[in-house]
Amino acid sequence: MNCSAEKASRKWAYGAFGRTAAAMVTVAVGLLLPGVFCEPALAAKASRSTPWGDLFGIHPPKPRAKVHRAAVPLPRPRPADAPSAEELAKETAKETTKEGKPTEQATPQPPPPSACRLALTEAIAIAPSIPDIRGAGGCGGEDLVRLEAIVLPDKRQVSVKPAAILRCAMASALADWIRTDIAPLAVRLGSTISDLDNFDSFECRGRNRIVGARLSEHGRANALDVRALKLSNGRSISLTDRSVPREVREAVLHTACARFSTVLGPGSDWYHEDHIHLDLMERRNNYRICQWDVWDPLPQTAPLLPAERPEEAPPREVAAKPDAAKPDAAKSAAGKSSAAPADEKSDAATSKPEPKPTTKKRRQNRRS
């Protein structure tokens, strides 16, 4: 394209006016073109500078849906003849039966008594029931009683001092043992049994009171330690005393081992030298333990000092003084010498004393 000045005059035939108009058109086009190209860029830049325009209400809000309110039904009006709140409270607090006696509020009923509890009546033992014990480490138990006394067939009572807290099964076995075996034994000894010395019953502890040991049957209220049996004539039969006749202790041993699953006494360990342990521990195959050595009586030793002289003994004879006895001895010797014959005197005068045998002196040991 040739844009020389010479040909320009040919295009614009109107002279100076035509050149001026062409320049004005060129200037107007030059001013409009930058605006056309810059307007989209400015719009994009403005959109990038305000990304949250939609959130802050730049655009007109959308119309909301119409809210439908649900109709809530109101309660019925209180009738005029309805009782007041105070009357309702009184009626619930004091409900009356048909007989007109007040009844207690509903409470959880205790479980029915066990077969052992029904069998252990007051004709056998004075053993009121006590609540179950739930202790730490499995201590305690169910169906517990406080054994206070055992009733013999002739209605006499054998007091348990102090009262023992036991399971019903253990209390029943102990009552049968006293009624069937120990009471006839006391009759053979010429008296009747009156007291049972309870050394220990329920106690939440380990075996032999060792810290950390396995739970004892005493902790389960399933054991009793017996120290002695007291008779009505005042005699006390200590089961571990060697002075008690051996036949009596052996009789108690045989009857106890036949009724209880565990019997521990002297000879079992160092913890049962002064009492007898009885329990009903359950083991496999009904295994039983009976460890009680009936020791023989200790030998009789002579007293260290002589016995005192009784008051009714006759007085002792006083020995004569030695000085007073010498003149009498000299007189008797003189009389005998005068009565002796003369020939005996001559023989005594002529006889020479026999020489004493010579003895050699032993040499002392210098090393001694």
Side-chain angles (χ1 to χ4, degrees):
M1 183 176 178
N2 192 358
C3 298
S4 60
E6 296 178 355
K7 293 183 178 181
S9 59
R10 295 178 183 176
K11 289 182 180 180
W12 306 99
Y14 298 99
F17 179 76
R19 289 193 293 271
T20 303
M24 292 175 63
V25 170
T26 304
V27 172
V29 172
L31 294 175
L32 291 174
L33 287 177
V36 172
F37 292 104
C38 293
E39 186 175 357
L42 292 175
K45 186 176 181 181
S47 63
R48 287 195 302 269
S49 62
T50 58
W52 307 100
D54 295 339
L55 296 178
F56 295 101
I58 296 177
H59 297 286
K62 296 180 180 180
R64 297 182 180 179
K66 187 180 269 188
V67 178
H68 298 280
R69 296 183 179 179
V72 179
L74 297 177
R76 295 180 180 179
R78 183 181 179 84
D81 55 349
S84 61
E86 296 179 356
E87 295 177 356
L88 290 175
K90 292 180 180 179
E91 290 179 1
T92 54
K94 294 182 180 180
E95 295 179 358
T96 56
T97 58
K98 295 181 180 179
E99 299 178 356
K101 298 180 180 179
T103 59
E104 298 179 356
Q105 296 181 356
T107 56
Q109 296 181 357
S114 62
C116 175
R117 177 68 268 186
L118 295 176
L120 192 64
T121 61
E122 292 184 355
I124 298 176
I126 307 301
S129 299
I130 62 174
D132 299 342
I133 299 176
R134 308 289 183 182
C139 286
E142 301 175 353
D143 197 13
L144 303 179
V145 299
R146 185 175 66 252
L147 183 61
E148 299 176 356
I150 298 170
V151 182
L152 299 180
D154 57 358
K155 306 303 179 181
R156 289 183 297 104
Q157 294 185 2
V158 179
S159 301
V160 180
K161 297 182 179 180
I165 296 177
L166 301 169
R167 296 193 180 192
C168 181
M170 181 63 188
S172 178
L174 189 66
D176 292 341
W177 179 54
I178 296 295
R179 288 165 54 91
T180 307
D181 300 328
I182 302 301
L185 178 62
V187 172
R188 290 197 298 269
L189 296 177
S191 182
T192 56
I193 183 172
S194 61
D195 297 335
L196 177 66
D197 188 2
N198 170 26
F199 188 60
D200 189 19
S201 58
F202 170 71
E203 184 180 358
C204 187
R205 60 175 175 85
R207 292 183 178 179
N208 301 323
R209 291 185 174 86
I210 298 176
V211 179
R214 189 176 179 182
L215 182 64
S216 172
E217 290 300 307
H218 287 280
R220 297 187 177 94
N222 198 31
L224 182 73
D225 289 344
V226 181
R227 187 160 46 184
L229 303 172
K230 294 183 180 180
L231 305 181
S232 58
N233 60 2
R235 181 183 177 185
S236 178
I237 301 177
S238 178
L239 301 182
T240 59
D241 188 3
R242 292 189 175 190
S243 63
V244 176
R246 183 184 180 90
E247 296 77 9
V248 176
R249 290 178 287 153
E250 286 183 348
V252 176
L253 166 65
H254 295 322
T255 58
C257 292
R259 291 185 176 274
F260 301 96
S261 60
T262 306
V263 178
L264 301 176
S268 60
D269 51 31
W270 292 103
Y271 303 96
H272 300 88
E273 296 297 324
D274 58 347
H275 65 275
I276 305 301
H277 172 89
L278 308 172
D279 69 45
L280 289 178
M281 182 180 181
E282 297 181 359
R283 300 182 181 90
R284 295 180 180 178
N285 301 325
N286 197 21
Y287 181 74
R288 293 171 174 264
I289 295 177
C290 182
Q291 297 179 356
W292 179 4
D293 294 337
V294 180
W295 304 113
D296 292 328
L298 295 175
Q300 298 293 333
T301 58
L304 299 178
L305 298 176
E308 296 182 359
R309 182 178 178 84
E311 297 179 357
E312 61 273 9
R316 296 177 180 176
E317 296 181 358
V318 180
K321 295 182 179 180
D323 297 339
K326 286 182 179 180
D328 297 338
K331 291 179 180 179
S332 62
K336 288 181 180 179
S337 61
S338 61
D343 54 351
E344 290 181 1
K345 291 182 180 179
S346 61
D347 294 341
T350 57
S351 62
K352 297 181 180 179
E354 295 180 359
K356 295 181 179 180
T358 58
T359 58
K360 295 182 180 181
K361 296 182 179 181
R362 295 181 180 179
R363 294 180 181 180
Q364 295 180 356
N365 191 1
R366 297 179 181 178
R367 296 181 181 179
S368 60

